[in-house]
């Protein structure tokens, strides 16, 4: 995962587990789904994940020591810094 490819991270709850959904930018999302290097089973899993969570990938955080909100906030802060850095370079 490249931060440049991500729109945002968000917390979701599926049954009793907390996960962080990774929302990719549309071009990256399409690229991942159409890639010839991505196997058919992985593409089916991504489509199923998107149907269930609205994201093709998630990070399972229920079993981590750090609180879910803290992890999600940390990822979004890192993403924000990446966007600022990208804007300065262009």
């Amino acid at each position: 995962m490249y931060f440049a490819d991500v729109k945002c991270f968000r917390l979701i709850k599926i049954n009793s587990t907390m996960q962080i959904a990774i929302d990719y930018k549309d071009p990256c999302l399409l690229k991942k789904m159409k890639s010839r290097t991505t196997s058919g089973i992985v593409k089916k899993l991504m489509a199923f994940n998107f149907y269930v969570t609205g994201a093709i990938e998630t990070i399972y955080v229920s079993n981590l020591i750090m609180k879910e909100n803290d992890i999600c906030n940390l990822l979004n802060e890192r993403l924000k810094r990446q966007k600022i850095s990208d804007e300065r370079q262009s």
Side-chain angles (χ1 to χ4, degrees):
M1 171 191 68
Y2 295 103
F3 279 92
D5 296 340
V6 176
K7 279 194 285 192
C8 69
F9 299 93
R10 59 188 167 84
L11 278 176
I12 59 172
K13 187 174 184 176
I14 299 178
N15 297 324
S16 62
T17 65
M18 292 300 293
Q19 299 180 32
I20 296 175
I22 305 168
D23 291 329
Y24 285 97
K25 295 175 182 173
D26 292 340
C28 298
L29 182 69
L30 293 172
K31 183 179 176 183
K32 283 181 172 268
M33 291 300 289
K34 292 183 178 183
S35 174
R36 291 183 182 195
T37 60
T38 305
S39 71
I41 188 76
V42 171
K43 287 179 183 180
K44 287 180 183 181
L45 284 170
M46 286 192 285
F48 177 76
N49 284 345
F50 191 81
Y51 175 76
V52 173
T53 67
I56 62 169
E57 294 177 354
T58 62
I59 303 168
Y60 184 81
V61 292
S62 288
N63 61 341
L64 300 178
I65 295 171
M66 200 170 167
K67 291 185 179 180
E68 300 94 355
N69 285 330
D70 293 342
I71 297 169
C72 193
N73 290 338
L74 188 67
L75 288 168
N76 279 314
E77 280 297 317
R78 173 63 176 88
L79 183 60
K80 184 179 176 182
R81 285 195 310 266
Q82 176 70 38
K83 287 179 183 178
I84 291 169
S85 175
D86 290 347
E87 289 171 0
R88 285 182 184 161
Q89 291 179 359
S90 55

